[in-house]
């Protein structure tokens, strides 16, 4: 089963994936889809508030935030990593539980990057926001670093995220029942 929709002016079919016996989600995978990545970055930038830096979690948001930074001519963007790397010093961390991940994860931010964020307007970017747990974790990292969250943007707002007034998004993505019908 799949769900067909228009995203940033482009038609795409999202495969439906069960997350429980009664609930399915539309799997939105931007990896490898250059046309969609470029179009979504362009459309999000049209809606973006003024910012100093972009940040995303180590996830499908990576190509999107890269393309947004490239189109906006930014010289740097931040990545909240899923594991601390040897080169990282004075690491900040926060725990997160996402709808698409079975176990709890931890996101890490390099101390040098945290210092760069201090007092700066940081725009959080993700590909899909559903429960908002990953978004909240990134927001916590930015605040721990002394950055100012100036906005939260995503390509798709899934389920209850569509009702949130603090998220800027391009399209709504419904949740689906076990028969593939939108809820």
């Amino acid at each position: 089963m799949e769900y067909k929709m228009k995203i940033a002016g482009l038609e795409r079919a999202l495969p439906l994936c069960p997350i429980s016996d009664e609930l399915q989600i539309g799997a939105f995978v931007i990896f490898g889809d250059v046309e969609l990545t470029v179009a979504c970055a362009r459309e999000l930038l049209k809606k973006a508030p003024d910012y100093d830096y972009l940040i995303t979690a180590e996830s499908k948001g990576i190509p999107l935030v890269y393309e947004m930074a490239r189109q906006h001519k930014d010289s740097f963007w931040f990545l909240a990593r899923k594991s601390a790397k040897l080169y990282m010093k004075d690491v900040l961390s926060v725990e997160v539980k996402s709808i698409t991940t079975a176990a709890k994860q931890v996101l890490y931010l390099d101390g040098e990057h945290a210092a760069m964020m201090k007092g700066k307007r940081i725009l959080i970017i993700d590909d899909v926001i559903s429960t908002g747990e990953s978004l909240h974790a990134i927001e916590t990292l930015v605040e721990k670093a002394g950055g100012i969250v100036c906005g939260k943007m995503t390509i798709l707002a899934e389920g209850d995220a569509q009702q949130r007034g603090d998220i800027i998004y391009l399209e709504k993505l419904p949740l689906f029942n076990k028969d593939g019908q939108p809820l």
Side-chain angles (χ1 to χ4, degrees):
M1 287 186 280
E2 61 186 23
Y3 179 69
K4 293 181 181 176
M5 65 182 301
K6 190 175 270 194
I7 307 164
L10 302 171
E11 295 283 338
R12 293 297 185 266
L14 282 55
L16 298 186
C17 301
I19 59 170
S20 73
D21 289 340
E22 299 297 320
L23 188 64
Q24 297 189 80
I25 59 171
F28 178 68
V29 180
I30 199 167
F31 285 141
D33 193 334
V34 175
E35 179 184 38
L36 185 60
T37 303
V38 170
C40 289
R42 180 184 61 245
E43 295 307 311
L44 284 170
L45 283 169
K46 289 177 182 177
K47 298 179 172 206
D50 290 336
Y51 67 89
D52 296 307
Y53 294 106
L54 301 169
I55 188 171
T56 195
E58 190 169 30
S59 67
K60 295 179 297 202
I62 292 172
L64 176 64
V65 80
Y66 170 84
E67 181 59 21
M68 288 177 72
R70 189 192 69 76
Q71 287 183 25
H72 196 254
K73 301 189 183 343
D74 298 335
S75 61
F76 198 88
W77 55 272
F78 298 111
L79 180 63
R81 304 293 308 251
K82 289 185 178 178
S83 63
K85 303 300 179 187
L86 293 175
Y87 63 82
M88 296 169 74
K89 306 292 182 220
D90 303 318
V91 177
L92 299 179
S93 66
V94 66
E95 198 171 90
V96 61
K97 174 73 174 100
S98 170
I99 191 172
T100 56
T101 306
K104 285 190 178 182
Q105 297 180 24
V106 178
L107 292 179
Y108 300 89
L109 183 65
D110 184 279
E112 182 180 323
H113 295 167
M116 290 171 64
M117 277 187 195
K118 190 169 184 164
K120 300 296 184 186
R121 298 167 299 174
I122 309 299
L123 181 56
I124 300 171
I125 305 296
D126 207 347
D127 63 326
V128 178
I129 295 174
S130 185
T131 64
E133 292 298 320
S134 299
L135 180 75
H136 180 68
I138 298 170
E139 192 169 9
T140 301
L141 273 179
V142 170
E143 290 168 355
K144 276 185 167 183
I148 302 155
V149 175
C150 66
K152 297 167 254 187
M153 300 188 84
T154 185
I155 297 169
L156 302 176
E158 183 176 57
D160 292 343
Q162 299 166 18
Q163 310 309 317
R164 291 179 54 164
D166 63 330
I167 299 171
I168 301 166
Y169 60 89
L170 297 182
E171 301 295 337
K172 295 178 180 182
L173 177 61
L175 296 171
F176 302 88
N177 68 18
K178 64 182 178 183
D179 299 319
Q181 299 303 311
L183 297 175

